[in-house]
Amino acid sequence: MKKIAVLTSGGDAPGMNAAARAVVRTAIYNGIEVYGIYQGYKGMLEGNIKKLEVGDVGNIINRGGTFLGSARLPEFADPEVRKEAIKNLEEIGIEGLVVIGGDGSYKGATKLSQEMNIKTIGIPGTIDNDIYGTDFTIGFDTALNTIIESIDKIRDTASSHDRVFVIEVMGRHAGDLALFAGIAGGAESVMIPEQKDTLEQVMERVNNAEKRGKKHSIIVLAEGVMSGAELSNKLKEQFGLESRYTTLGHVQRGGSPSAMDRVLASRLGNYAVDLLMEGISGKAVGIRDNKLVTTDFEDIFNATEHEIDLNLCEVSKQLGI
Ligand code: F6P
């Protein structure tokens, strides 16, 4: 393997820069030329590709977002579009590709390796922590810390006014951010898509907190269940409960990556290049029980349901959340 490329795709996540940095530096350390593809598959199609040196990835480990940029390109599903993109890779002589992103990004990589002689490895980068085959994705820890900071601040005003607050966090299909944030933020209730809690159950937890003498409550809601506005309205209509809601939104995707995300990204980026050098392809790297692992792209595509940590659900239940 003489030349590889790296791109970031899909929603950005803090720590993607650290992962790209690790890919670039590991490749160069091993005598491999490495190219950055800017704006994901869009940049591949448009030939927005640049050779990277060690210095090009200096001063980025601490930065959120992705210096390579990211874009959504639904047209990449079209084989004719991919043909054009492949030409750009073949012109440079790219033999391996590291894709940092989610399973949608891995699908593009799979198509490429079927249509050209290229080896592909995926690195899981998304704040949602919803990629099969890894305990944690890059960006999850940072987003979680951003949420906790917000919960702590909202609790200050909630307790001053004896109010109930609904805090809507990201996670279209996955409740990890909400569940972890609920536990770490000492929430009174959590609603996640994987557990179909009823509004009655949520009310019961709020009431239990009140019985314990707590005059304010925090309900952490994953966006995949419903919106904060919707939940707040329903609580009013069905139970006469007055509440305020806050949607944290894209603030959760930004910011300097946490130390845990930086280390995870560095390990995964380094491992991805090792695998390409061994000639391995069609797999995503990940971490399980603190060990680096790989999962076939196909297994990731077939895993339709996101798995929530059931032990953690039990912990939250026993803590009255
Ligand atoms: O990165 C994942 C995610 O943050 C989801 O939780 C959220 O619903 C979505 O991305 C938002 O994406 P977009 O930036 O396209 O609005």
Side-chain angles (χ1 to χ4, degrees), residues 114-127:
Q114 285 161 355
E115 292 162 9
M116 72 178 281
N117 189 19
I118 193 170
K119 307 232 181 284
T120 52
I121 296 290
I123 299 182
T126 163
I127 65 163

Side-chain angles (χ1 to χ4, degrees), residues 62-82:
N62 52 323
R63 279 171 42 200
T66 158
F67 84 103
L68 288 170
S70 189
R72 301 194 196 276
L73 185 70
E75 297 88 335
F76 206 70
D78 179 347
E80 290 306 313
V81 171
R82 287 198 300 275

Side-chain angles (χ1 to χ4, degrees), residues 5 55 65 73 88 138 142 148 152-153 166 170 176 214 223 244 260 266 277 292 309 316:
L73 185 70
N88 290 330
I138 296 167
T142 307
I148 294 305
D152 290 349
K153 286 181 179 164
V166 172
M170 278 189 168
D176 289 46
K214 205 160 195 180
E223 64 174 342
R244 296 285 189 275
M260 288 305 282
S266 299
M277 288 192 303
L292 296 173
D309 183 338
S316 80

Side-chain angles (χ1 to χ4, degrees), residues 10-12 72 126-128 170-173 177 223 250 253:
D12 64 311
R72 301 194 196 276
T126 163
I127 65 163
D128 289 350
M170 278 189 168
R172 268 173 297 185
H173 312 291
L177 280 173
E223 64 174 342
H250 284 77
R253 285 238 294 255

Side-chain angles (χ1 to χ4, degrees), residues 18-304:
R21 172 182 178 271
V23 169
V24 170
R25 294 201 169 169
T26 305
I28 294 173
Y29 177 86
N30 288 288
I32 298 170
E33 276 183 24
V34 55
Y35 290 77
I37 301 176
Y38 289 78
Q39 301 297 329
Y41 292 109
K42 184 168 174 279
M44 188 184 285
L45 179 66
E46 293 168 357
N48 194 357
I49 305 171
K50 182 183 155 236
K51 186 167 178 241
L52 296 172
E53 303 297 345
V54 170
D56 291 322
V57 290
N59 286 329
I60 64 165
I61 195 164
N62 52 323
R63 279 171 42 200
T66 158
F67 84 103
L68 288 170
S70 189
R72 301 194 196 276
L73 185 70
E75 297 88 335
F76 206 70
D78 179 347
E80 290 306 313
V81 171
R82 287 198 300 275
K83 240 186 225 169
E84 289 304 307
I86 287 171
K87 267 191 218 156
N88 290 330
L89 297 182
E90 284 176 342
E91 227 164 67
I92 304 171
I94 302 291
E95 299 158 279
L97 175 68
V98 178
V99 172
I100 306 168
D103 48 357
S105 316
Y106 300 165
K107 282 192 180 133
T110 303
K111 293 270 182 225
L112 283 180
S113 56
Q114 285 161 355
E115 292 162 9
M116 72 178 281
N117 189 19
I118 193 170
K119 307 232 181 284
T120 52
I121 296 290
I123 299 182
T126 163
I127 65 163
D128 289 350
N129 207 37
D130 62 349
I131 301 178
Y132 178 79
T134 186
D135 289 344
F136 295 107
T137 57
I138 296 167
F140 174 68
D141 185 62
T142 307
L144 188 56
N145 281 294
T146 302
I147 295 169
I148 294 305
E149 221 179 283
S150 302
I151 291 180
D152 290 349
K153 286 181 179 164
I154 288 173
R155 196 179 282 290
D156 288 344
T157 172
S159 65
S160 301
H161 288 266
D162 294 343
R163 271 179 175 153
V164 174
F165 265 83
V166 172
I167 304 180
E168 180 198 316
V169 302
M170 278 189 168
R172 268 173 297 185
H173 312 291
D176 289 46
L177 280 173
L179 179 63
F180 278 67
I183 292 174
E188 279 60 48
S189 189
V190 165
M191 287 186 88
I192 57 175
E194 295 86 347
Q195 294 208 316
K196 314 266 177 264
D197 282 356
T198 60
L199 292 186
E200 283 73 16
Q201 286 170 304
V202 173
M203 269 312 290
E204 196 186 325
R205 288 180 214 130
V206 170
N207 289 335
N208 285 345
E210 205 180 336
K211 277 185 211 142
R212 293 197 308 266
K214 205 160 195 180
K215 295 207 171 59
H216 72 275
S217 274
I218 304 269
I219 302 167
V220 182
L221 167 73
E223 64 174 342
V225 179
M226 66 179 99
S227 73
E230 208 181 332
L231 178 58
S232 186
N233 285 337
K234 284 188 173 168
L235 291 174
K236 173 82 181 159
E237 277 165 22
Q238 296 183 27
F239 307 96
L241 181 78
E242 195 67 51
S243 65
R244 296 285 189 275
Y245 69 87
T246 299
T247 302
L248 295 184
H250 284 77
V251 73
Q252 297 161 93
R253 285 238 294 255
S256 177
S258 67
M260 288 305 282
D261 271 331
R262 296 182 200 191
V263 173
L264 176 65
S266 299
R267 290 176 74 186
L268 294 179
N270 176 263
Y271 189 38
V273 177
D274 276 355
L275 294 173
L276 283 180
M277 288 192 303
E278 283 174 36
I280 291 168
S281 180
K283 290 176 191 289
V285 294
I287 189 157
R288 282 246 189 220
D289 301 326
N290 202 28
K291 290 199 172 53
L292 296 173
V293 294
T294 60
T295 307
D296 288 346
F297 283 156
E298 284 307 321
D299 291 340
I300 295 175
F301 304 150
N302 290 335
T304 45

